[in-house]
Amino acid sequence: MGPACLLIRRFQSPIRRIHQRRNLLTLAIESSCDDSCVALLEKHKNGSATLHFNGKITSDNRSYGGIYPIVASESHQKNIAALANDALLRRPVAGDGKDKMIIDFITVTRGPGMRAGLMTGMDTAKGLAVALQIPIIGVNHMQAHALTPRLDSALNAHEPEVSKGDISMEKASISPEPSFPFLTLLVSGGHTMLVHSKALCDHEILSDTSDMAIGDVIDKCARNILPASIIDAAPNVMYGPLLEEFAFSGCSPQQDHSRLYPYPWKMNAPSSSNLKNQFSYSGIGSTVKRIMEMNPKMDIYERQVLGMETMRVAFEHLASRVFLAFKRDEVKNIKTLVVSGGVASNKYLKTVLRDALDCKNHKDVQLIFPPSHFCTDNAAMIAWAGMEMYEAGWESKMTMMALKKWSVDPNADDGGILGVQGWLQTHVV
Ligand code: AMP
Ligand code: ZN
């Protein structure tokens, strides 16, 4: 495509641009924590989507026992551009059957997260957008987590059959599921949040982390509980999945574990008295540390039981905040609870939440767990958030800056997703 075409593309009206094109293609970058991720996502005119590339490289923080910002940042500098290069090579063929499809816009995580990592992603994204003369969208990482099940539903929907023509494709148009409003329990290495998602840019935070995030605490507990041989062989510092595998090796999450002990210790739920509706996980971390310090030579079986108990207490605490939320008038009729973030891939969490909802007369609440590769940090969810924002008429200015903190709640001090500077509204839907 020559320079004149590029200029015409850039200055077409956004409304024309959206309706004229059959499909939309975005390249997305995620670098808010220790994962360098790039994705290439196509959204078809009927609402379905195809993921052409979804690359991820996690920085090696093992010698630090946790995420070390300089190591993570250097890993982004090393890997983001190379991943973007790989993604560009995977562009699908355009409708003419000859050329590769043109990327419509670049999406990038603008925040919240570790500033140095965000800046590497943002600089790469801005460079691509300038070079390709296409718009850029800086999206909120937490909004992207909340929208993940909608990405999953679009990916599972069928691509339109071109031969049926435009009219039948319009009729067959698919809406992403779940529709708003829904609840999201975001349980990750950096967050523990219960969010009431009312609309694309309106996510009220009902409960938030008061001290440490659940994934962070599970990782620290796992580091204490797991035998040294498992820790030494771990591929990264994400010890949570290893704790699940270790604790439940030989028995299923459905089993009643109370018969497995008494031991001279007890795991208690975080005290609710001064917590209101907040989450608190630091106490679980210090209890496990104390138990292991008292018995550093603990045998494997007791370690397994301690691992199960740690997860049980942590997950029941999540359920307790969900029940509080269901007491609210504006929430009580919501029938969908999405569980997202890395910890959502834990099978025992699924059992605990389902059992707890059933016991408390919430049998009709549907639990949605997006696939685990979309639950941990990834760029496909960023690409999808970009798609939804773009179609809703939002782009970002090239002058936008990375945001270490950025709420998804319009009532927060920063005004939430649309409250920060740097947005361009191209059209109103
Ligand atoms: P994220 O921050 O969303 O990328 O998720 C990473 C966090 O999820 C880390 O703290 C992991 O240890 C945790 N995690 C991932 N899988 C599991 C699992 N199966 N059980 C418990 N925690 C997990
Ligand atoms: Zn995340």
Side-chain angles (χ1 to χ4, degrees), residues 145 188-189 215 218-219 238-241 244 341-343 345-346 375-377:
H145 270 304
S188 72
I218 290 181
D219 287 341
M238 229 172 72
Y239 302 120
E244 181 186 12
V343 182
S345 44
N346 188 296
C375 279
T376 47
D377 285 351

Side-chain angles (χ1 to χ4, degrees), residues 134-340:
I134 54 177
I136 187 168
I137 305 185
V139 300
N140 184 301
H141 180 92
M142 310 310 290
Q143 178 194 24
H145 270 304
L147 300 176
T148 296
R150 291 164 65 84
L151 159 70
D152 194 39
S153 80
L155 289 173
N156 289 325
H158 291 292
E159 200 179 329
E161 283 175 44
V162 181
S163 58
K164 285 187 184 162
D166 250 9
I167 294 168
S168 65
M169 277 197 295
E170 287 293 352
K171 274 189 194 155
S173 167
I174 299 154
S175 299
E177 295 285 337
S179 53
F180 299 108
F182 56 89
L183 291 182
T184 301
L185 195 52
L186 184 62
V187 281
S188 72
H191 299 275
T192 323
M193 268 186 187
L194 182 61
V195 181
H196 177 191
S197 293
K198 303 173 189 176
L200 178 62
C201 296
D202 186 352
H203 306 266
E204 185 186 354
I205 298 171
L206 304 177
S207 301
D208 204 351
T209 319
S210 67
D211 39 46
M212 293 170 75
I214 182 167
D216 191 13
V217 168
I218 290 181
D219 287 341
K220 289 198 166 70
C221 292
R223 211 178 140 66
N224 282 313
I225 295 169
L226 289 171
S229 56
I230 296 183
I231 295 289
D232 292 345
N236 52 47
V237 293
M238 229 172 72
Y239 302 120
L242 301 180
L243 183 67
E244 181 186 12
E245 198 188 327
F246 169 76
F248 292 103
S249 58
C251 66
S252 86
Q254 278 81 17
Q255 266 175 294
D256 175 10
H257 307 114
S258 52
R259 63 181 177 74
L260 296 174
Y261 59 103
Y263 286 115
W265 47 260
K266 189 165 166 24
M267 292 296 301
N268 290 317
S271 138
S272 294
S273 53
N274 54 356
L275 275 180
K276 297 204 174 98
N277 50 355
Q278 301 301 84
F279 296 105
S280 170
Y281 279 101
S282 61
I284 294 178
S286 31
T287 305
V288 167
K289 190 162 180 266
R290 207 173 47 245
I291 293 170
M292 290 307 299
E293 277 168 359
M294 283 184 323
N295 185 4
K297 298 223 162 75
M298 187 181 280
D299 68 30
I300 295 286
Y301 190 65
E302 188 173 346
R303 282 174 195 256
Q304 281 183 305
V305 177
L306 181 57
M308 288 175 198
E309 280 296 283
T310 304
M311 286 184 265
R312 181 185 62 77
V313 169
F315 299 159
E316 284 179 358
H317 184 48
L318 290 177
S320 71
R321 310 293 96 172
V322 174
F323 297 141
L324 282 182
F326 275 125
K327 290 197 173 137
R328 297 177 178 224
D329 278 345
E330 73 277 18
V331 172
K332 67 179 181 212
N333 293 323
I334 294 181
K335 296 293 170 224
T336 307
L337 173 62
V338 178
V339 191
S340 194

Side-chain angles (χ1 to χ4, degrees), residues 409-420:
D409 191 333
N411 295 316
D413 290 346
D414 62 4
I417 294 167
L418 296 176
V420 299

